[in-house]
Amino acid sequence: MPRPVTLFTGQWADLPFSEMAQMTKDFGYDGIELACWGDHFEVQRANEEDGYCQQKREALDQLGLQCHAISAHLVGQAVLDNIDQRHKAILPDYVWGDGDPAGVNERAIEELKATARAAQKFNVDVVNGFTGSSIWHLLYSFPPVPESMLEAGFELLAERFNPILDVFGECGVKFALEVHPTEIAFDIHTARRALEALDNRPEFGFNFDPSHLIWQGVDPVQFIREFPDRIYHVHIKDASVTLDGRSGILASHLNFGDPRRGWDFRSPGRGDVNFEEIIRALNVIDYQGPLSIEWEDSGMERTFGAREACEFTKKLDFAPSGRAFDSAFDDGT
């Protein structure tokens, strides 16, 4: 049975839930991954209003749309980050509050715990998201970065996320970090270090997204092979390296969509990600969850792109073989 192809709504939060759900159906998707911002999935309402989760689920059922995960990237970013004015734009007012950094961190922690409880009520077992990072700014080691400063960042991960993961465990829900620059884990080595900092507890795994690895020079297939039991969810997203002798891989403080950048996101199948090998690697680890398209391409109209991405992914996916290709030659001796 093919894996369900779903659409992540994070980049569509300007549209109301009802319109987004209908569009997702019209595009040809099997399901939807609801962002916990806009009105797509509201954590406070899910926990406080009787019938909220049931009404959301019934609306999706009427359209024949599955939902296997909700996503809390924005509030998760504020758990470990050193808070500044940028965070106000991505956080709910009740999490931002007066903007005091310690208070924002604490309210983000509580909101992520509440998200686990809301996911349980909504009957999904994965919350995708970010962690933020208190040490991302130390990426380039000059002035020289003492190892103790890096270790402190992973100790802070354990301090702040273990209580969160306790709630996830109580709710029977997993947290899937989207390994991503600006997070505590952004490649294979930092992902391993994050797991070790959390004592490899099963509530914490990864939302595999190849687009954030490919431009760094990390082979996404190697990530799957490194963490076969920790791939809790999969995003289908592409990126292309566009170095031309003038641009740099660090993107030169140029925003997404600027043609001078050294890399940018692309609609699936139009970048550098080898999705063929990714599907084969997912088959090896027996990943049966959704293939969720996170659509981002500054150079393409989004409704065209979302429809094309659905068609691309459904054509791409295939089940592993149940027999050797040359078994017809086996005479049983």
Side-chain angles (χ1 to χ4, degrees), residues 106-267:
E106 183 57 39
R107 288 186 291 273
I109 290 168
E110 294 306 312
E111 180 73 357
L112 209 49
K113 293 177 183 177
T115 305
R117 299 184 184 106
Q120 182 185 34
K121 292 185 68 174
F122 192 51
N123 197 30
V124 297
D125 57 11
V126 174
V127 172
N128 298 316
F130 290 152
T131 59
S133 173
S134 62
I135 56 174
W136 173 251
H137 66 290
L138 304 177
L139 182 66
Y140 193 89
S141 192
F142 189 85
V145 178
E147 176 61 25
S148 61
M149 293 182 71
L150 300 178
E151 184 59 33
F154 287 93
E155 290 173 355
L156 189 66
L157 167 69
E159 176 187 328
R160 293 187 180 172
F161 257 84
N162 272 318
I164 293 169
L165 296 174
D166 288 343
V167 177
F168 272 76
E170 292 165 5
C171 294
V173 177
K174 291 182 169 61
F175 180 80
L177 167 63
E178 186 168 332
V179 174
H180 181 293
T182 78
E183 311 313 315
I184 194 67
F186 54 88
D187 61 10
I188 290 174
H189 296 300
T190 53
R192 175 59 64 193
R193 192 166 180 178
L195 286 172
E196 292 170 353
L198 295 167
D199 293 326
N200 294 294
R201 57 186 301 173
E203 297 88 357
F204 185 90
F206 303 119
N207 175 41
F208 169 75
D209 185 328
S211 70
H212 305 302
L213 299 170
I214 193 74
W215 67 264
Q216 295 184 65
V218 178
D219 181 354
V221 170
Q222 293 301 323
F223 191 94
I224 297 172
R225 291 173 178 167
E226 181 75 16
F227 305 108
D229 61 338
R230 297 289 173 151
I231 306 298
Y232 293 161
H233 194 265
V234 168
H235 272 178
I236 299 295
K237 186 176 169 188
D238 213 338
S240 181
V241 175
T242 55
L243 298 173
D244 60 4
R246 292 171 58 84
S247 57
I249 205 65
L250 300 182
S252 312
H253 288 302
L254 300 171
N255 209 352
F256 297 111
D258 191 312
R260 295 172 295 170
R261 281 176 60 93
W263 70 274
D264 215 334
F265 295 121
R266 293 286 186 269
S267 193

Side-chain angles (χ1 to χ4, degrees), residues 224-225 227-229 231 280-288:
I224 297 172
R225 291 173 178 167
F227 305 108
D229 61 338
I231 306 298
R280 291 180 182 274
L282 292 175
N283 283 343
V284 169
I285 68 169
D286 195 31
Y287 173 78
Q288 297 296 320

Side-chain angles (χ1 to χ4, degrees), residues 5 27 29 236-238 266-271 273-276 278-279 291 293 295 304-318:
V5 177
F27 290 152
Y29 287 87
I236 299 295
K237 186 176 169 188
D238 213 338
R266 293 286 186 269
S267 193
R270 294 180 176 268
V273 173
N274 187 336
F275 287 104
E276 167 83 15
I278 286 173
I279 294 299
L291 303 176
I293 291 166
W295 194 88
F304 172 88
R307 190 183 302 274
E308 179 192 67
C310 181
E311 295 170 354
F312 168 82
T313 305
K314 287 192 171 186
K315 184 178 180 180
L316 172 77
D317 193 24
F318 57 88

